[in-house]
Amino acid sequence: MKKQIIIIGIIIMGAISSCDKFDVSNENPDVALAIDKNPELLLTNFQRNSIRNLVGGSWSEGNLMGQYGARIVFTSFDLFDWGDQGGTWSTLYLAIRDAKELEKIAVENELPSYEAISVIMQTWMFSILTDMYGDIPYSEVNQAVDEEPNYTPVYDTQQAIYANMLVELERANTILSGSNLGLVKGDLVFDGDLAMWRKFANSLRLRLALRLSEVDASTSQSVIAGIFNNPSSNPVMESNEDNAVLQFLAANPDAHPVTEESVYRVGSYNEYRIFEHFVQLLQSFNDPRLDFFADPTANSVENGTPEIQGMQNGIVDGPAYEYKGGDAFLSKFNIDYFYFQPNSNQARLMQYAEVAFIFAEAAQRGWITASAQEYYEMGIQANFEYWDVELPADYLARAEVAYDDTLETIMKQKYVALFYTDYQGFIEFKRTGFPNTIAPGPDAFYNEYPSRFEYPSEEESLNSANYKEAVQRIGGDQITTKVWWEN
């Protein structure tokens, strides 16, 4: 036994002396030792986290808020029990932190392509945060690691945030207009195609400029006209090939989060049904997209007379489950496409159809010299093409569809095109009031349609002074408090 101990001791001493002699390191030479040498790791991470979060939010909240869908059980959200949605706040601010770090690294290491992409992604995330909450921390975000750390950022006004976001997107466009920008790795959206990122920057600038239509029409018109009249300097999306989308993969962890592959329960999926007024709108157009978006009811299929029936929103549990006869008499969203296929449904940040409808509205308002009808029809055609639904030959001439020089007509089709795109359908309704069928349900907690999420509860304790100042400024931390740009 004593001999064995001596031998083991010799082996250990030998190993130690060998480490000294050959200077063995525990560092893996194949692993990045500094993130500034691998900026693509940051890019991939914050793109993935932010986009997946908003895809999930689009399904479970955004589609309900825009009244594309409704629940048949656990209907509290339909009753306007929205809460603070702190998960969205936290996820996006963590992603913004990483995006700002990437921007810092890009500037320090002269990587303009990464700088521009970071600015665009930050603006996309900030725009959703401010549209959904109102005044938010913006100018002082990500200062906790500075020499004089700031753990309590001020809440900037939404007006100031919008002004700066438009400037930032213009700056990104200018950066991407340069030469020798360098290759980009780790980009989940455009796979490093900088021309596409430039188009997204300017298209997003159009979206944000139009959001000001009711509160700062001069800025809205100036920005949109400036982009429209100078396409070589301000390229925008021109077809579905330019869409800002994330293509999911066929297997976890990169399948669409609301699918069987991602272990999203089929029972949870079946709690959501297409909304009654969305069905009626599409039926008024005699629109074949309805047959793609929704499945016929189980009862009608069994009887050999398939039909699509929508669910009413804002009904308390119990009566909601019995609406129109119950589960078998209400239509699910296309379960094969949206649930069983892991990667058919993309994450949509922005599509060309939205750009076309923006130009249609700008022309209808007289802000640009263009045919509103032409852009309106291009927006419709693009959305049919996106969903791979054949456009009927007479569709654009149908009475309910034909362009009639009204904002309402444009907005109805734009609303359809924004289906399942984070919170955009809801946001555009709050800007314009269209479609005017969006309204509280019979058992809703409020008689007026809400406008925003409440601030996360942690803000009141962790950033109390700035939180209270913002709440007083906006008129109260309730979901019915209007945001600055709202009509």
Side-chain angles (χ1 to χ4, degrees):
M1 180 69 177
K2 198 178 286 185
K3 182 177 180 181
Q4 289 177 336
I5 293 174
I6 292 172
I7 292 172
I8 292 171
I10 293 171
I11 292 172
I12 293 173
M13 291 300 295
I16 294 172
S17 63
S18 295
C19 288
D20 289 340
K21 183 176 180 180
F22 293 106
D23 193 24
V24 174
S25 171
N26 286 325
E27 295 174 347
N28 184 345
D30 295 325
V31 176
L33 302 181
I35 195 67
D36 60 351
K37 295 180 181 178
N38 296 85
E40 69 273 9
L41 300 180
L42 276 173
L43 176 60
T44 300
N45 188 61
F46 74 69
Q47 282 184 334
R48 186 179 190 278
N49 291 342
S50 62
I51 294 172
R52 288 183 70 89
N53 174 270
L54 285 169
V55 167
S58 180
W59 168 254
S60 58
E61 289 92 39
N63 281 348
L64 303 185
M65 297 166 76
Q67 293 196 347
Y68 298 102
R71 297 190 64 128
I72 60 172
V73 291
F74 308 118
T75 62
S76 60
F77 193 90
D78 268 342
L79 302 177
F80 300 149
D81 182 14
W82 288 2
D84 59 25
Q85 300 301 313
T88 295
W89 175 284
S90 299
T91 299
L92 291 186
Y93 270 113
L94 285 172
I96 287 168
R97 177 199 64 185
D98 289 348
K100 284 190 171 294
E101 186 63 25
L102 175 60
E103 182 185 3
K104 178 182 176 183
I105 291 169
V107 171
E108 291 174 350
N109 292 276
E110 298 183 352
L111 302 170
S113 51
Y114 283 102
E115 179 186 359
I117 292 173
S118 173
V119 167
I120 297 165
M121 285 295 297
Q122 286 177 55
T123 305
W124 174 70
M125 290 185 282
F126 271 127
S127 70
I128 293 170
L129 282 167
T130 188
D131 285 341
M132 297 310 300
Y133 291 93
D135 294 2
I136 58 169
Y138 181 78
S139 60
E140 294 183 359
V141 166
N142 207 45
Q143 296 181 352
V145 294
D146 291 351
E147 291 184 7
E148 297 182 7
N150 178 7
Y151 299 106
T152 55
V154 298
Y155 283 60
D156 296 81
T157 67
Q158 190 171 54
Q159 183 175 6
I161 293 167
Y162 258 83
N164 190 257
M165 289 193 299
L166 290 171
V167 169
E168 285 293 274
L169 289 174
E170 188 171 12
R171 179 167 76 89
N173 175 58
T174 300
I175 292 171
L176 293 175
S177 69
S179 56
N180 301 318
L181 296 174
L183 298 175
V184 170
K185 297 187 292 184
D187 174 17
L188 301 179
V189 179
F190 292 123
D191 195 25
D193 189 328
L194 299 181
M196 300 281 270
W197 274 106
R198 193 178 180 196
K199 289 182 178 183
F200 179 37
N202 290 311
S203 300
L204 184 57
R205 192 149 54 112
L206 290 173
R207 174 193 281 179
L208 301 188
L210 188 62
R211 202 80 88 218
L212 309 182
S213 63
E214 305 305 314
V215 290
D216 189 357
S218 60
T219 296
S220 190
Q221 177 179 359
S222 176
V223 173
I224 294 172
I227 294 173
F228 180 81
N229 293 327
N230 297 280
S232 60
S233 299
N234 303 286
V236 298
M237 296 175 184
E238 299 176 279
S239 73
N240 284 322
E241 295 297 315
D242 299 330
N243 290 346
V245 295
L246 186 148
Q247 180 64 55
F248 292 101
L249 304 182
N252 258 341
D254 296 311
H256 191 288
V258 186
T259 58
E260 182 182 43
E261 174 64 25
S262 289
V263 202
Y264 189 87
R265 292 177 57 250
V266 69
S268 298
Y269 183 89
N270 289 338
E271 292 168 5
Y272 297 83
R273 301 301 166 98
I274 192 167
F275 181 60
E276 192 169 67
H277 289 162
F278 189 36
V279 171
Q280 292 169 357
L281 176 64
L282 291 167
Q283 287 175 337
S284 74
F285 300 152
N286 194 16
D287 197 313
R289 285 175 293 184
L290 176 59
D291 294 324
F292 172 77
F293 290 148
D295 292 331
T297 67
N299 179 70
S300 67
V301 171
E302 184 177 343
N303 291 334
T305 56
E307 64 175 358
I308 293 172
Q309 288 288 335
M311 174 66 194
Q312 171 65 283
N313 77 310
I315 304 176
V316 295
D317 275 323
Y321 193 74
E322 297 170 357
Y323 187 69
K324 290 185 178 178
D327 173 79
F329 297 85
L330 298 166
S331 291
K332 305 171 186 176
F333 287 100
N334 183 340
I335 193 167
D336 180 60
Y337 184 91
F338 292 115
Y339 180 74
F340 287 119
Q341 296 184 38
N343 59 346
S344 58
N345 186 25
Q346 298 173 323
R348 289 167 288 281
L349 286 69
M350 190 172 186
Q351 297 181 73
Y352 163 66
E354 183 180 350
V355 172
F357 287 122
I358 290 170
F359 283 146
E361 181 176 341
Q364 189 268 340
R365 290 175 178 270
W367 292 352
I368 60 175
T369 304
S371 169
Q373 179 176 348
E374 182 178 345
Y375 277 103
Y376 166 74
E377 292 178 354
M378 286 193 293
I380 294 172
Q381 290 165 344
N383 193 246
F384 270 83
E385 291 170 4
Y386 177 79
W387 293 114
D388 195 25
V389 176
E390 184 176 354
L391 180 71
D394 67 338
Y395 184 84
L396 298 175
R398 293 173 183 173
E400 289 287 336
V401 177
Y403 181 70
D404 61 358
D405 199 32
T406 65
L407 179 59
E408 181 175 6
T409 293
I410 295 171
M411 289 308 303
K412 283 180 177 178
Q413 287 288 343
K414 185 178 183 181
Y415 169 75
V416 176
L418 291 175
F419 166 64
Y420 213 155
T421 304
D422 56 78
Y423 306 100
Q424 295 306 312
F426 162 78
I427 292 168
E428 281 292 86
F429 160 69
K430 297 305 294 185
R431 178 180 71 88
T432 66
F434 298 120
N436 57 18
T437 53
I438 294 179
D443 300 323
F445 301 145
Y446 304 95
N447 292 325
E448 63 177 301
Y449 211 81
S451 296
R452 59 184 288 275
F453 290 143
E454 296 171 359
Y455 293 123
S457 56
E458 292 85 353
E459 285 295 292
E460 189 171 3
S461 57
L462 299 178
N463 194 8
S464 179
N466 292 317
Y467 162 82
K468 290 177 180 177
E469 180 185 6
V471 169
Q472 183 177 14
R473 185 170 62 229
I474 67 175
D477 188 15
Q478 290 89 35
I479 64 174
T480 52
T481 302
K482 294 184 183 297
V483 296
W484 167 68
W485 49 252
E486 188 173 341
N487 182 355

